[in-house]
Each structure stands twice: as C-alpha cells, then as structure tokens.
Amino acid sequence: MPSPSRRRGARHRRSRNKATTETVAAEEETVNWADMPLDSILAVFHKLDHIDILMGADQVCRSWRRAARDEPVLWRRIVMRGKADLSSRINRQGMACAAVQRSAGQCEAFCGEYAGDDGFLLYLSEQAPCLKSLRLISCSGISFDGFAEIIQRFPQLEELELSQCPALTEWGHLQDEVFEILGQACPQLKHFRLNKQYFEEQRWVDKDIDARSIATMHELRLLQVFANDLSNEGLAAILENCPRLESLDIRHCFNVDMDGVDDEKAKLLREKCARVKTVRLPRDSTDDYDFEVGSPRFACKEIDQCGYYSLDFVYPRWLDSEESDDDGYSSPSRYEADLDKYDKVLPRSMRMFL
C-alpha cells in the first residue's frame, strides 16, 4: 500500500496535469482575429452598419482593414442609418462618399440617414452608374432643384425612398414636374416611399398633386405615402393606373375617407383596394412603422383662427406648437467629382477613410 506522501504526490501531479490541459485548451480556443479567413471577416462586416465599419471595425488589425478597403463586394449595398447624436460631430457626407468610393463602381443600393446632400447625390450618380435602390432619410441638405436635376442620372432605379427630407416632404409637395421627370427618368421604378413626419391639413392646396403624378408610375409594386394629403380621387387614380400594385400603405393620410357605406364612390374605392394584397389604411396602427410618428394637425374650423386642434380618436394630443422641430440643420457642404478637391472640407479624423 502506497505511503501517504506518495498518494499526495500522485494527486498533486494529476491536478497539475489537469490544469495544464485546461490552459492549453483555453489557448487553442483563443481567436486570433488577424488570422481569420477573408470570408469570415466579410461575414462579420455584413452584420454591421457601414458607419461602424468606417469608424471602428476596419481598424481592428491590418487584415480587417484590407478587407474593408479592398473588397468592393462589401460596399455593394451600403446602409448608413441612425446615430443622430453623431451627425453634428462627423462629416456624414464625407463618410458616405468614402463608402461609395470603396464600392469601385459596384454600388447597387444606398440607404443613408442624415447622410446626403446635393453634392453627395451628384457624386453618387457618377460613382454608382448601376444604382438600383436609393433610400434617403432625414437628409436635410437635399434641395428641391438639386433632386429634380440629379434624379435623372439614375435610369436603372427600381426603389426610391424619400422619408422626412424637409425640402422634398415636410415643406410642401414634390411638384408635378419633378414626378414627371422621375417617371420618365426611372421607368423601372417598382418601390416608392414618400413619407412625412406628421399629417398637416392644408385648406388652400391641391391635395392630389403627388397622387396624380404617382399614378404615372405604372410599374409600381409597393407604395408608401405616410401622412400625405391625397384624397379619395387621388387614391382612385393611383389604383386605376398602377395595376401591378401589391402593397399600399396610406397610414395617416386623413383626407382619404372610405367609411361612407352608401357612397358609391367610397364603395368602388374599397373594391379597388381589395385587389391589392396588402393595404394599410389611414387609421391603422403605426406600431410597426419605421419612424417616430408626429401628431396630426388639423386646420381650425374658423378661418380667422390660427391655432390647430387634434382629434382624440385619430391621435392623442398633438405636439405643442412651441416645441421646436429643428433637427440641427446646417448648410450642406458641396463635393466635387474628384475626392482630392474636397478633401479639405473633411475633418482629419475622416481623411483616413479615403
């Protein structure tokens, strides 16, 4: 029978061997990020917003940086969303240009929030000739005239979104001539979104300016016009002239009223809507809507009054008129086709991306 000292020595050796084995196993499980295969790195990058790639992911190590800079496939579909808190501290237009440049002419889709002005749109039209999807969200630097001119440079566009872009949605209508240009310049347009932050009743305007022009987009499959002024007549024109429409979202379009049971026109309109696979009506829930919803504003009953009131059954209480809707708008910077010409307008922290 072994002595107590030998038994203690054996137990000590077994314990030491176990600890060594566990250490080796832990070391084997440690990931060497620099040695990750390119496919794995790109799989990680595809999970990220492209702002995150520009600001951090491509600075992990050299192999990650090479993947972020030298793989145009990563930038084929660019998404730069959110981060409103950063919009006042970084040059988002410069970052958007850097992202488009890395696509090496292969960019097919661009989605930018707080990241677009007239200069960037011009640069995008020159660097992304095959663009099929353009989504612009809260891009206060885009002007009416600039958009009308540059949109003609995207003949292959199949998807267009203009959401809460002040010059195009919040401060009036897209006028007839712009829609006419859009319909002619982008004959393949299938998805169109034109969204305002809140519905505001207008007494002395043509409510169906937008609707009549949308009705010329005969290839539409999806239409979302949140908080638009269109009326029953405008909606009827769209349904009559867009026979391939599969999804229709007219939430918060309170000039549309199909509740009249005995009204033949309302009944006919309901029948036309029934032919569309997915329909969201003015008072349907906005729980799944992508953006913050502002309270609707209805004109006063008395013409000489200047205030607004809100109907409780439509939306709780509208935002106080003294509250500011200012989103930190500042004059947009301009960009030339050659990156070197506008490099001076970019902060030093952004120049390393170009």
Side-chain angles (χ1 to χ4, degrees):
M1 182 175 179
S3 66
S5 60
R6 290 185 176 180
R7 289 199 298 270
R8 286 196 298 271
R11 286 198 298 270
H12 177 71
R13 287 192 296 272
R14 287 196 297 270
S15 176
R16 184 176 57 188
N17 292 338
K18 181 179 179 182
T20 301
T21 302
E22 290 177 349
T23 301
V24 172
E27 290 176 351
E28 291 176 350
E29 292 177 359
T30 301
V31 177
N32 188 338
W33 298 105
D35 292 338
M36 285 181 64
L38 179 60
D39 290 346
S40 299
I41 296 175
L42 294 179
V44 172
F45 283 178
H46 279 301
K47 301 291 185 180
L48 302 176
D49 187 289
H50 285 82
I51 292 180
D52 296 323
I53 297 176
L54 288 169
M55 295 189 68
D58 71 347
Q59 299 180 51
V60 171
C61 57
R62 289 183 179 179
S63 60
W64 282 46
R65 183 167 177 78
R66 284 196 298 269
R69 291 175 61 95
D70 303 332
E71 295 295 329
V73 66
L74 178 64
W75 307 90
R76 187 173 295 168
R77 303 186 65 84
I78 299 171
V79 178
M80 307 180 76
R81 291 291 305 272
K83 299 177 176 59
D85 56 324
L86 290 176
S87 62
S88 61
R89 292 185 284 140
I90 62 176
N91 190 319
R92 294 178 69 101
Q93 280 81 4
M95 295 183 72
C97 287
V100 173
Q101 185 197 40
R102 292 188 182 191
S103 73
Q106 297 183 28
C107 181
E108 296 179 355
F110 179 85
C111 174
E113 187 171 8
Y114 312 105
D117 61 8
D118 291 348
F120 167 71
L121 285 184
L122 179 60
Y123 181 78
L124 182 65
S125 69
E126 295 173 345
Q127 299 297 318
C130 299
L131 195 73
K132 295 181 179 180
S133 174
L134 176 60
R135 300 179 61 197
L136 302 171
I137 302 165
S138 299
C139 295
S140 58
I142 297 176
S143 70
F144 179 89
D145 292 335
F147 176 81
E149 177 182 354
I150 299 170
I151 196 61
Q152 302 177 64
R153 297 169 177 256
F154 298 105
Q156 299 187 42
L157 209 61
E158 297 180 2
E159 178 181 23
L160 175 63
E161 176 174 354
L162 305 170
S163 291
Q164 301 182 14
C165 297
L168 306 179
T169 61
E170 304 296 335
W171 301 338
H173 298 270
L174 279 176
Q175 298 178 1
D176 286 327
E177 58 267 26
V178 176
F179 271 115
E180 184 177 353
I181 291 172
L182 179 60
Q184 294 174 356
C186 307
Q188 302 180 49
L189 199 63
K190 296 179 176 64
H191 293 184
F192 184 49
R193 298 179 180 88
L194 180 67
N195 301 323
K196 298 195 297 184
Q197 184 176 7
Y198 57 85
F199 172 84
E200 184 170 11
E201 187 176 19
Q202 305 286 341
R203 284 185 176 273
W204 313 115
V205 300
D206 183 350
K207 296 179 175 60
D208 292 317
I209 287 180
D210 294 349
R212 285 195 302 271
S213 300
I214 293 173
T216 66
M217 303 174 187
H218 306 302
E219 297 298 318
L220 283 184
R221 270 67 164 180
L222 179 149
L223 175 64
Q224 182 181 64
V225 283
F226 190 91
N228 196 270
D229 293 329
L230 84 163
S231 67
N232 284 22
E233 289 73 17
L235 178 59
I238 292 173
L239 294 172
E240 183 68 26
N241 292 280
C242 301
R244 300 188 179 185
L245 201 61
E246 299 176 355
S247 177
L248 175 65
D249 187 348
I250 53 172
R251 282 177 289 182
H252 276 226
C253 296
F254 294 119
N255 287 326
V256 173
D257 183 7
M258 294 184 289
D259 294 335
V261 179
D262 298 327
D263 188 332
E264 286 299 322
K265 290 185 178 180
K267 181 179 179 181
L268 181 60
L269 194 56
R270 290 196 297 271
E271 292 176 353
K272 290 181 178 179
C273 284
R275 301 170 191 167
V276 181
K277 292 181 180 179
T278 305
V279 179
R280 308 298 298 274
L281 297 176
R283 296 176 186 176
D284 284 355
S285 171
T286 59
D287 289 346
D288 61 344
Y289 185 57
D290 290 338
F291 310 106
E292 181 179 352
V293 178
S295 300
R297 303 177 181 182
F298 297 88
C300 293
K301 294 181 180 180
E302 299 296 331
I303 296 178
D304 60 346
Q305 293 181 356
C306 60
Y308 295 91
Y309 71 92
S310 173
L311 299 180
D312 291 339
F313 67 86
V314 174
Y315 203 82
R317 296 179 60 186
W318 65 282
L319 300 174
D320 194 310
S321 60
E322 295 181 357
E323 291 184 5
S324 172
D325 291 330
D326 180 24
D327 60 354
Y329 171 80
S330 58
S331 297
S333 56
R334 304 294 296 186
Y335 298 91
E336 301 291 339
D338 187 350
L339 286 172
D340 293 336
K341 294 181 180 179
Y342 67 79
D343 182 66
K344 60 184 179 180
V345 306
L346 300 177
R348 289 184 179 179
S349 60
M350 292 309 306
R351 294 180 186 177
M352 61 183 175
F353 298 125
L354 302 180

